[in-house]
């Protein structure tokens, strides 16, 4: 019989925090690193196999990718948090309802989002900064990705539930399956078959399909602790409403990221002069690199989520605080490593993606400016995801919106006017610093004697 790793979810409230973080975060980190690596490897294959302009075309797809994934994370994160809180309150039936609803919502969202994306693809890419030189690459890549949205949505949605309901190793394996298939197929389809950037997209979808089969098999099995059950609710408004409420934070974060990237691309095109397309490509290199380290931190927060959700639902606030403190130190440590690597070896990092000397020089300058205070990002990311994990999405939404809308976009409107492309990199660094201080202040306030957050668990899930 298949059981959650080592024991049932009840051990989330009894075992030591350190051992739980190792058990839950290490698989999540491995999965996140693997996902980041195949994004990086895709970019390397595209940059070296298709050219520098293809890297710029790939960077143009980032806003649309963020927008698509926003509608997936709205369900995936909300469902994961709600299922772990339900298990913390010993409500297995409600946790099963959550899984059913996540499956239904993933299919509905993917069909709507993928269909609309394909219908208006060229218009969207042009709006997001595509030029006549870059739009063919961006179009070829996104056509395949959008056709595969039902596969990717169900895989991501159920994989988050898989981890939250006590199967972190299975969740890790599903991510690794996706990566391995993608890394094997990408060079074959790009170089041997000659499909170029479209081959990279096909390899990505094939990898996700393999993981989709793995995850779906788990949730169709009655041996799984929580599984898809015909007799439970599949579309229940009270559950959908809570999934949306909790998932609203990552949804808005990704939507904001979409529009922020548009502002970044536009600023680079406006102030990059004759090398504007290459400046966009340099941002693509920076984006892939920073996301590698941020995804490691996200892996840590994904491992923290079931621990935080269960113990918060059970009213064990001391364990919640210990989990948070450990996560913050890990997040700062991870981003400190990223700071050291990018500040010390910017040329080496840039050269992984391209052999174009101009593109390398622009990216090197970006690394030196943007990553100057990067360790602070790790703390901010952990705190933002902490509020989401304990069922207080308003705080997480507030932190996400202020970082991207209140800080970054205004900086992008005036700093490039003063310093050109350097102003774009400075805007990103400055907004991260302000977001760190805001997140730290909000956390300290929530833990103060004036706040009830750490004295009483939210009544988000009622007993049946």
């Amino acid at each position: 019989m298949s059981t959650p790793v080592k024991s049932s979810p009840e051990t989330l409230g009894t075992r030591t925090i350190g051992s739980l973080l190792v058990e839950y975060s290490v698989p999540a980190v491995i999965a996140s690193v693997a996902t980041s690596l195949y994004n990086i490897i895709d970019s390397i294959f595209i940059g070296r196999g298709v050219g520098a302009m293809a890297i710029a075309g790939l960077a143009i797809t980032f806003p649309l990718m963020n927008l698509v994934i926003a509608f997936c994370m709205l369900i995936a994160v909300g469902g994961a948090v709600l299922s772990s809180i339900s298990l913390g309150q010993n409500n297995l039936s409600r946790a099963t309802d959550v899984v059913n609803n996540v499956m239904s919502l993933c299919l509905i969202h993917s069909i709507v989002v993928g269909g609309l994306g394909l219908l208006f693809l060229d218009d969207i890419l042009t709006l997001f900064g595509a030029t006549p030189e870059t739009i063919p690459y961006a179009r070829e890549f996104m056509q395949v990705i959008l056709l595969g949205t039902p596969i990717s949505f169900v895989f991501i949605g159920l994989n988050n539930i898989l981890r939250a309901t006590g199967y972190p190793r299975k969740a890790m394996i599903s991510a690794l399956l996706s990566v391995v298939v993608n890394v094997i197929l990408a060079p074959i389809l790009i170089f041997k078959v000659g499909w170029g950037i479209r081959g990279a997209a096909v390899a990505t979808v094939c990898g996700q399909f393999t993981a989709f089969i793995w995850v779906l098999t788990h949730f169709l099995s009655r041996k799984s602790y929580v599984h898809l059950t015909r007799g439970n609710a599949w579309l229940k408004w009270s559950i959908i409403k809570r999934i949306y409420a909790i998932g609203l934070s990552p949804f808005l974060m990704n939507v904001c990221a979409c529009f922020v990237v548009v502002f970044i691309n536009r600023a680079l095109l406006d102030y990059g002069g004759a090398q504007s397309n290459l400046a966009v490509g340099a941002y693509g290199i920076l984006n892939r690199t920073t996301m590698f380290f941020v995804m490691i931190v996200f892996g840590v927060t994904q491992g923290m989520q079931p621990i935080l959700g269960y113990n918060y639902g059970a009213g064990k606030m001391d364990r919640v605080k210990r989990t948070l403190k450990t996560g913050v130190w890990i997040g700062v440590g991870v981003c400190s490593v990223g700071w050291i690597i990018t500040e010390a070896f910017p040329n080496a990092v840039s050269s992984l993606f391209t052999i174009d000397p101009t593109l390398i020089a622009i990216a090197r300058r970006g690394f030196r400016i943007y990553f100057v205070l990067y360790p602070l990002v790790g703390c901010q990311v952990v705190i933002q995801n902490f509020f989401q994990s304990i069922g207080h999405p308003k705080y997480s939404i507030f932190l996400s919106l202020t970082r991207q809308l209140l800080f970054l976009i205004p900086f992008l409107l005036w700093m490039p006017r003063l310093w050109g492309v350097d102003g774009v990199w400075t805007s990103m660094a400055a907004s991260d610093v302000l977001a760190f201080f805001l997140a730290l202040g909000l956390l300290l306030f929530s833990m103060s004697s004036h706040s009830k957050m750490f004295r009483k668990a939210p009544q988000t899930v009622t007993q049946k």
Side-chain angles (χ1 to χ4, degrees):
M1 177 175 178
S2 177
T3 58
V5 175
K6 292 186 180 179
S7 54
S8 65
E10 283 79 3
T11 59
L12 291 166
T14 57
R15 285 176 51 202
T16 63
I17 298 301
S19 65
L20 285 170
L21 279 173
V22 169
E23 181 177 323
Y24 279 79
S25 287
V26 169
V29 167
I30 292 173
S32 295
V33 168
T35 301
S36 295
L37 281 176
Y38 91 67
N39 286 330
I40 290 173
I41 290 169
D42 266 357
S43 298
I44 292 172
F45 286 147
I46 289 168
R48 289 180 170 269
V50 186
M53 202 58 65
I55 285 285
L58 185 64
I60 293 296
T61 68
F62 291 167
L64 183 53
M65 292 283 283
N66 283 331
L67 189 60
V68 170
I69 204 67
F71 287 94
C72 181
M73 298 310 291
L74 175 65
I75 310 162
V77 174
V81 172
L82 196 56
S83 62
S84 62
I85 292 177
S86 300
L87 292 175
Q89 296 179 330
N90 296 314
N91 198 336
L92 180 59
S93 179
R94 180 58 62 92
T96 302
D97 288 343
V98 171
V99 175
N100 287 359
N101 278 261
V102 166
M103 177 71 178
S104 301
L105 291 173
C106 282
L107 290 172
I108 294 170
H109 278 219
S110 64
I111 293 171
V112 173
V113 173
L116 290 175
L118 286 169
L119 187 61
F120 301 104
L121 183 56
D122 276 18
D123 294 332
I124 295 171
L125 293 174
T126 302
L127 177 66
F128 288 170
T131 64
E133 294 81 15
T134 58
I135 196 169
Y137 300 106
R139 181 194 302 119
E140 285 187 21
F141 187 82
M142 285 308 304
Q143 282 175 340
V144 178
I145 296 297
L146 290 171
L147 285 171
T149 49
I151 294 169
S152 60
F153 273 45
V154 173
F155 157 51
I156 295 171
L158 292 185
N159 206 48
N160 275 264
I161 299 289
L162 189 63
R163 184 181 302 106
T165 54
Y167 296 86
R169 292 181 186 174
K170 274 195 169 184
M172 175 191 71
I173 291 171
S174 65
L176 290 176
L177 282 172
S178 174
V179 171
V180 170
V181 172
N182 181 76
V183 170
I184 292 173
L185 288 180
I188 295 173
L189 298 178
I190 293 172
F191 298 107
K192 297 293 184 181
V193 180
W195 285 358
I197 196 170
R198 188 184 297 274
V202 171
T204 297
V205 174
C206 288
Q208 291 174 341
F209 179 74
T210 306
F212 160 84
I213 296 297
W214 168 267
V215 174
L216 190 61
T217 300
H218 168 87
F219 281 103
L220 289 174
S221 173
R222 293 185 176 273
K223 296 179 180 180
S224 301
Y225 191 78
V226 181
H227 55 269
L228 295 165
T229 305
R230 184 178 299 177
N232 283 66
W234 286 84
L235 283 174
K236 188 174 183 179
W237 175 241
S238 61
I239 294 175
I240 294 173
K241 184 167 62 175
R242 283 302 301 158
I243 289 174
Y244 283 165
I246 296 172
L248 190 59
S249 171
F251 171 78
L252 291 176
M253 182 174 69
N254 280 283
V255 170
C256 287
C258 164
F259 290 105
V260 164
V261 173
V262 172
F263 273 89
I264 292 172
N265 286 342
R266 288 290 182 182
L268 292 171
L269 290 170
D270 290 341
Y271 297 96
Q275 300 170 346
S276 58
N277 282 320
L278 291 181
V280 173
Y283 170 65
I285 293 174
L286 265 68
N287 181 278
R288 290 300 196 201
T289 306
T290 188
M291 285 307 298
F292 174 76
F293 296 102
V294 169
M295 286 298 287
I296 296 176
V297 181
F298 278 154
V300 174
T301 62
Q302 286 174 349
M304 291 169 60
Q305 184 272 310
I307 305 170
L308 289 168
Y310 186 98
N311 285 284
Y312 195 70
K316 299 181 178 182
M317 299 305 160
D318 287 341
R319 292 176 62 81
V320 170
K321 292 179 181 179
R322 289 202 301 273
T323 304
L324 170 63
K325 182 178 179 180
T326 305
V328 166
W329 282 113
I330 295 172
V332 171
V334 168
C335 287
S336 295
V337 173
W339 171 73
I340 293 171
I341 292 174
T342 54
E343 290 293 332
F345 310 106
N347 273 9
V349 176
S350 303
S351 298
L352 290 174
F353 297 87
T354 181
I355 58 174
D356 187 293
T358 304
L359 182 53
I360 291 173
I362 298 172
R364 178 181 64 240
R365 181 71 175 172
F367 278 126
R368 286 277 166 76
I369 298 173
Y370 172 48
F371 278 77
V372 65
L373 293 172
Y374 194 63
L376 301 180
V377 173
C379 179
Q380 190 268 336
V381 169
V382 171
I383 293 174
Q384 179 177 314
N385 282 273
F386 162 74
F387 287 117
Q388 177 180 290
S389 296
I390 63 172
H392 284 274
K394 291 181 181 179
Y395 292 88
S396 186
I397 293 169
F398 173 71
L399 293 176
S400 175
L401 293 181
T402 50
R403 186 265 174 189
Q404 300 187 80
L405 298 182
L406 187 61
F407 300 148
L408 182 51
I409 289 181
F411 285 153
L412 285 170
L413 291 176
W414 67 272
M415 282 189 175
R417 297 182 181 182
L418 299 176
W419 303 307
V421 171
D422 283 355
V424 177
W425 315 135
T426 305
S427 299
M428 294 157 65
S431 64
D432 283 338
V433 172
L434 292 180
F436 160 75
F437 284 111
L438 180 63
L440 186 60
L442 185 58
L443 177 65
L444 293 175
F445 173 78
S446 70
M447 297 175 68
S448 70
S449 58
H450 302 290
S451 174
K452 297 180 180 179
M453 185 180 300
F454 282 81
R455 290 181 282 157
K456 182 180 178 182
Q459 300 302 311
T460 57
V461 183
T462 57
Q463 297 285 348
K464 283 190 175 181

